[in-house]
Amino acid sequence: EAGVTQSPTHLIKTRGQQATLRCSPISGHTSVYWYQQALGLGLQFLLWYDEGEERNRGNFPPRFSGRQFPNYSSELNVNALELEDSALYLCASSWTGRGNTEAFFGQGTRLTVV
Amino acid sequence: AQTVTQSQPEMSVQEAETVTLSCTYDTSESDYYLFWYKQPPSRQMILVIRQEAYKQQNATENRFSVNFQKAAKSFSLKISDSQLGDAAMYFCAYRTGTASKLTFGTGTRLQVTL
């Protein structure tokens, strides 16, 4: 069974541009989570999608947005890129429901803003 | 707001020895779950062990065990018979019972020496 897949693996953008990151959850998982992991910092929660709806949002500006498609894959968009947006972006998926369900992570997209 | 604190940025252990990583959390919830994730240089986050708050018995998974002190809001990870492959970043994480976002600590980098 395929795990959580993220694309691209690496992405280099210029300040002010837009970046689009993609995530395919494990088959059967309906919840997708996005996290930002800046160098030397922990994982900061960005967004949670479930059944196509945005369920929760972290403390990030509106230029961070996303969506979840009918097949439960998800896209994270970052507009008007700033240098401090350079980070590893991790996507995770899990079954909807109880909090004890394991969240499985992808290998991340390394976004570099120059 | 729920917070997770890992006070040890770095730890070192000799191969075959035992090491304990500390984690404290703050919550007003009664139904929650605690996790330890491992992030090796490959960046893939891997679940090491989980603990349900309603269970008094400490969770164990082979060489990994936790010391869960609910009243003190403490959740430490003990790694026995440390192996070179245990070298990684270890993150403590918290989640409420409603399958919401995972809240992570800032991580502890574990080095395993010969």
Side-chain angles (χ1 to χ4, degrees):
Chain A
E1 181 182 303
V4 178
T5 56
Q6 292 187 245
S7 63
T9 305
H10 294 88
L11 189 58
I12 300 175
K13 291 287 187 178
T14 304
R15 191 171 49 182
Q17 285 188 315
Q18 178 194 40
T20 298
L21 288 63
R22 296 180 176 84
C23 173
S24 292
I26 289 173
S27 178
H29 286 189
T30 60
S31 277
V32 171
Y33 306 81
W34 287 97
Y35 288 85
Q36 181 194 67
Q37 187 178 19
L39 191 63
L41 298 178
L43 280 75
Q44 303 297 315
F45 170 72
L46 270 165
L47 291 159
W48 170 29
Y49 291 96
D50 181 58
E51 299 281 357
E53 300 284 332
E54 182 180 301
R55 301 296 185 184
N56 201 351
R57 182 184 179 82
N59 188 25
F60 280 84
R63 56 192 186 81
F64 286 84
S65 65
R67 54 180 171 168
Q68 186 178 35
F69 300 97
N71 66 354
Y72 303 117
S73 66
S74 178
E75 196 174 85
L76 174 68
N77 295 293
V78 188
N79 294 319
L81 284 165
E82 300 179 2
L83 296 178
E84 52 264 35
D85 296 334
S86 295
L88 179 67
Y89 289 83
L90 291 169
C91 170
S93 74
S94 73
W95 298 100
T96 295
R98 298 296 298 159
N100 65 342
T101 55
E102 179 179 353
F104 293 82
F105 284 80
Q107 289 196 294
T109 293
R110 173 76 65 189
L111 173 63
T112 303
V113 183
V114 298
Chain B
Q2 295 90 11
T3 59
V4 178
T5 302
Q6 293 179 251
S7 58
Q8 306 154 316
E10 292 188 14
M11 293 283 285
S12 183
V13 62
Q14 282 192 318
E15 199 177 18
E17 296 296 310
T18 296
V19 65
T20 299
L21 308 184
S22 301
C23 173
T24 58
Y25 60 95
D26 188 24
T27 184
S28 57
E29 301 282 341
S30 59
D31 182 20
Y32 58 90
Y33 302 86
L34 297 163
F35 305 83
W36 278 98
Y37 277 87
K38 169 185 177 181
Q39 187 181 38
S42 67
R43 310 183 322 203
Q44 183 83 49
M45 294 280 284
I46 302 164
L47 178 67
V48 174
I49 197 166
R50 85 186 81 190
Q51 174 78 45
E52 291 85 349
Y54 63 85
K55 287 187 178 179
Q56 291 188 331
Q57 187 173 8
N58 290 323
T60 62
E61 286 289 342
N62 301 312
R63 299 183 293 108
F64 298 89
S65 61
V66 299
N67 183 5
F68 174 47
Q69 301 290 325
K70 191 171 183 178
K73 294 182 181 175
S74 171
F75 182 60
S76 60
L77 174 70
K78 186 171 82 171
I79 306 173
S80 304
D81 187 25
S82 297
Q83 301 175 359
L84 294 176
D86 295 333
M89 281 290 288
Y90 285 82
F91 292 95
C92 177
Y94 161 99
R95 193 181 201 181
T96 66
T98 53
S100 62
K101 63 178 181 177
L102 278 163
T103 299
F104 287 87
T106 52
T108 297
R109 182 172 300 282
L110 178 66
Q111 183 181 20
V112 181
T113 59
L114 293 171

